[in-house]
C-alpha cells in the first residue's frame, strides 16, 4: 500500500518540492492549506490534481487534529511557519504563535490522533545566530538573534522533548539557507536574481539591499527536501544539520547573479539603511558530516549553478509575461 504523507506549508518553497519528491516515490500526498481571499497555489498548480488539500491553520489545534485524522499519515512534515526574519520583529507574537507554539499544537494533535506517525520539524540555522563555534554542528549551542530564531529554538526543543517524553518518532532538521527558482521574492537570493533579471531587461535601473557583508551557507532547496525524507526513513529518530559547508557574503551572491547577465553589479546596487536588521546573524557555516555519514546525504547543485538557474528562471518569467 502507498505510504501517506501530510505536509504543512505545502504552498511554500520547500512544501512544493517535497510534495513532488514524495509523489515521485509513490506516496499519497496530503497538504494542509489555510484559507485566504486569494489562493497561494502557484508553486503547486502543476501537481494539484495529484494531491489532496486539507484546510487547517497552525493557530487552530482542532483543524490540525482533523487534518491528521482525515489523512492518516505515515509521515508528517511540519514546514509551515512565519519564515521571514524581518517580519518577526514587526510581528513577534504572531511569529511565536505560528513558528513556536504551532509546533506544540501539531505534536499534541499527532500524539492524540496518530502517535505512530513519523514527524519532521523544519528547524533552522537561524537558531545558531551569534555563533558559538564554527562550523556549526548538532551540538553547537544556540544563540538566536531574532524573534524568528527564538521561535525556532522552541520548535526544535519541543520536538526533542516529545521524542524523549512520549517516544514519538520525531526528527528536527537544522537546515541552513536553501534557495531556488521558487524562493519568495523577499529573501535576498531571489530579490537579487529577480533584480538582476529586471535590470538586464530594462525593467528597473537600481536594486536596494541591506547588509552586503552578511555571510550564509546557501544550498539548493530540492537537495534539502531529500534530506528531510531521509531523516524519516532512518531506523531511529534524530536531529541533523543540513548544509553545504561553504559560506559566502551577500556581496558575492550579488556579483555572481549580475555576472550571469553580463553586468557589473557596482553600477546598480544601493545600500538602504532601512534594510539593515536590528540584530544581524553575521556568518553561518554548517557541518553536515552527520547527515552525510548516517543518511548518505550530500548536496548536488553548486552555488554558482543554483544562482544561474534562478536568474534564468527570472529572465524567462519576464520574457514570457511580456512588457
Ligand atoms: P515559505 O516559502 O515561507 O513557506 C511557508 C509555508 O507556511 C507556506 O505554505 C505558508 O502558507 C505556510 N504557513 C504560514 N503560516 C501558516 C499558518 N499559520 N498555518 C498554516 N500554514 C502556514 O518557507 P520555506 O522556505 O518553504 O521554508 C519551509 C520551512 O522551513 C519553514 O518552517 C521555514 O521557517 C523553515 N526553514 C527554511 C529555510 C530556508 O532557507 N528556506 C531554512 C531553514 C528552515 P501560505 O501560502 O498560506 O502563506
Ligand atoms: O537574508 C541579508 C540579511 O532574508 C539573508 C529564511 O529562509 O534562512 C532564511 O533567513 C541575509 C541576511 O534569509 C537584504 O541581512 C542583505 O543577513 O535571505 P534572507 P535569512 O534571514 O538568513 C534561514 C535559514 C531561515 O530559516 C529563514 O526562514 O541577507 N540581506 N540585503 C538581505 N536580506 C533580505 N531579505 N533583503 C535584503 O535586501
Amino acid at each position: 500500500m502507498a505510504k501517506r504523507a501530510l505536509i504543512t506549508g505545502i504552498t511554500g518553497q520547500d512544501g512544493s518540492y517535497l510534495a513532488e519528491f514524495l509523489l515521485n516515490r509513490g506516496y499519497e500526498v496530503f497538504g494542509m492549506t489555510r484559507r485566504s481571499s486569494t489562493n497561494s497555489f502557484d508553486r503547486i498548480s502543476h501537481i494539484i490534481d495529484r494531491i489532496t488539500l486539507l484546510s487547517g491553520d497552525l493557530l487552530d489545534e482542532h483543524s490540525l487534529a482533523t487534518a491528521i485524522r482525515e489523512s492518516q499519515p505515515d509521515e508528517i512534515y511540519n514546514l509551515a511557519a512565519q519564515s521571514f526574519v524581518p517580519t518577526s520583529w514587526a510581528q513577534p507574537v504572531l511569529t511565536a504563535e505560528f513558528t513556536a507554539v504551532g509546533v506544540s499544537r501539531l505534536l499534541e494533535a499527532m500524539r492524540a490522533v496518530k502517535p505512530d506517525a513519523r514527524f519532521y520539524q523544519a528547524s533552522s540555522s537561524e537558531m545558531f545566530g551569534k555563533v558559538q563555534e564554527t562550523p556549526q554542528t548538532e551540538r553547537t549551542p544556540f544563540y538566536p538573534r531574532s524573534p524568528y530564531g527564538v521561535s525556532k529554538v522552541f520548535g526544535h526543543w519541543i520536538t526533542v522533548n516529545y521524542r524523549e517524553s512520549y517516544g514519538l518518532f520525531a526528527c528536527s532538521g537544522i537546515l541552513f539557507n536553501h534557495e531556488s527558482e521558487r524562493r519568495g521574492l523577499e529573501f535576498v537570493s531571489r530579490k537579487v536574481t529577480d533584480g538582476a533579471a529586471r535590470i538586464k531587461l530594462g525593467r528597473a535601473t537600481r536594486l536596494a539591499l541591506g547588509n552586503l557583508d552578511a555571510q550564509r551557507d546557501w544550498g539548493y532547496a530540492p537537495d534539502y527536501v531529500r534530506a528531510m525524507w531521509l531523516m524519516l526513513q532512518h531506523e531511529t529518530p534524530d536531529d541533523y544539520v543540513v548544509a553545504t559547508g561553504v559560506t559566502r557574503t551577500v556581496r558575492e551572491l550579488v556579483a555572481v547573479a549580475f555576472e550571469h547577465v553580463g553586468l557589473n553589479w557596482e553600477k546598480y546596487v544601493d545600500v538602504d539603511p532601512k534594510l539593515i536588521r536590528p540584530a544581524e546573524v553575521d556568518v553561518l557555516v554548517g557541518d553536515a558530516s552527520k547527515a552525510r555519514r548516517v543518511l548518505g546525504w550530500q548536496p548536488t547543485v553548486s552555488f554558482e549553478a543554483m544562482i544561474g538557474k534562478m536568474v534564468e528562471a527570472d529572465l524567462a518569467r519576464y520574457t514570457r509575461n511580456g512588457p
Side-chain angles (χ1 to χ4, degrees):
M1 214 169 76
K3 273 195 186 175
R4 300 155 77 96
L6 173 64
I7 304 173
T8 74
I10 195 166
T11 56
Q13 171 187 261
D14 290 5
S16 65
Y17 284 118
L18 180 64
E20 275 173 17
F21 177 91
L22 295 174
L23 285 172
N24 287 338
R25 269 158 191 76
Y27 276 68
E28 193 173 341
V29 174
F30 297 80
M32 197 187 81
T33 58
R34 51 184 178 160
R35 197 260 160 191
S36 69
S37 63
T38 51
N39 73 42
S40 55
F41 298 163
D42 289 1
R43 295 185 178 103
I44 52 170
S45 55
H46 59 299
I47 50 171
I48 203 124
D49 296 338
R50 301 168 62 203
I51 58 183
T52 305
L53 297 182
L54 301 168
S55 164
D57 194 299
L58 289 174
L59 293 180
D60 185 327
E61 192 175 325
H62 177 77
S63 70
L64 303 176
T66 304
I68 296 173
R69 193 171 302 112
E70 289 182 4
S71 56
Q72 289 296 314
D74 300 293
E75 297 170 11
I76 299 175
Y77 294 87
N78 182 33
L79 309 188
Q82 191 304 95
S83 74
F84 190 47
V85 172
T87 298
S88 78
W89 278 286
Q91 300 177 356
V93 176
L94 193 68
T95 299
E97 285 289 353
F98 288 4
T99 306
V101 188
V103 188
S104 303
R105 292 191 191 96
L106 189 58
L107 283 164
E108 272 301 294
M110 169 171 143
R111 196 164 77 84
V113 178
K114 192 82 172 63
D116 62 337
R118 294 186 169 203
F119 181 87
Y120 173 84
Q121 167 58 16
S123 293
S124 166
S125 52
E126 282 293 297
M127 302 190 303
F128 296 122
K130 188 171 173 183
V131 297
Q132 302 297 293
E133 64 179 2
T134 295
Q136 293 84 53
T137 73
E138 295 78 8
R139 289 174 311 283
T140 303
F142 300 137
Y143 192 140
R145 293 272 281 170
S146 64
Y148 170 81
V150 174
S151 298
K152 282 289 181 186
V153 172
F154 180 96
H156 171 81
W157 282 118
I158 202 71
T159 301
V160 173
N161 182 259
Y162 271 52
R163 181 169 76 219
E164 294 178 354
S165 303
Y166 303 117
L168 299 184
F169 193 110
C171 299
S172 172
I174 306 174
L175 272 52
F176 282 60
N177 299 53
H178 47 279
E179 319 296 314
S180 73
E181 304 87 314
R182 297 187 197 164
R183 186 58 141 154
L185 281 163
E186 66 276 33
F187 297 93
V188 76
S189 64
R190 185 73 195 290
K191 184 173 172 183
V192 167
T193 62
D194 177 75
R198 283 191 298 127
I199 291 170
K200 178 67 180 177
L201 297 173
R203 288 168 173 248
T205 51
R206 315 286 315 163
L207 177 63
L209 294 172
N211 179 11
L212 301 182
D213 296 319
Q215 288 176 249
R216 290 290 183 278
D217 178 332
W218 278 293
Y220 191 47
D223 278 339
Y224 285 46
V225 302
R226 192 174 69 254
M228 298 173 186
W229 176 77
L230 284 169
M231 286 177 215
L232 297 201
Q233 309 318 303
H234 195 65
E235 58 196 22
T236 46
D238 207 341
D239 310 319
Y240 298 90
V241 159
V242 177
T244 70
V246 181
T247 192
R248 319 203 179 228
T249 60
V250 172
R251 187 177 285 101
E252 287 174 84
L253 159 70
V254 176
V256 171
F258 276 73
E259 215 164 89
H260 193 84
V261 292
L263 297 176
N264 174 3
W265 70 273
E266 289 176 273
K267 293 187 183 157
Y268 304 98
V269 170
D270 303 308
V271 171
D272 180 348
K274 288 202 290 296
L275 295 170
I276 305 286
R277 299 178 179 186
E280 180 61 285
V281 172
D282 295 321
V283 49
L284 291 174
V285 55
D287 174 354
S289 44
K290 179 176 170 185
R292 204 165 40 244
R293 193 179 65 253
V294 179
L295 305 176
W297 178 84
Q298 57 181 16
T300 64
V301 176
S302 72
F303 177 78
E304 286 76 10
M306 173 178 79
I307 297 301
K309 280 172 188 279
M310 291 171 67
V311 175
E312 287 301 324
D314 284 320
L315 286 168
R317 186 165 49 92
Y318 285 116
T319 312
R320 206 169 44 239
N321 291 346

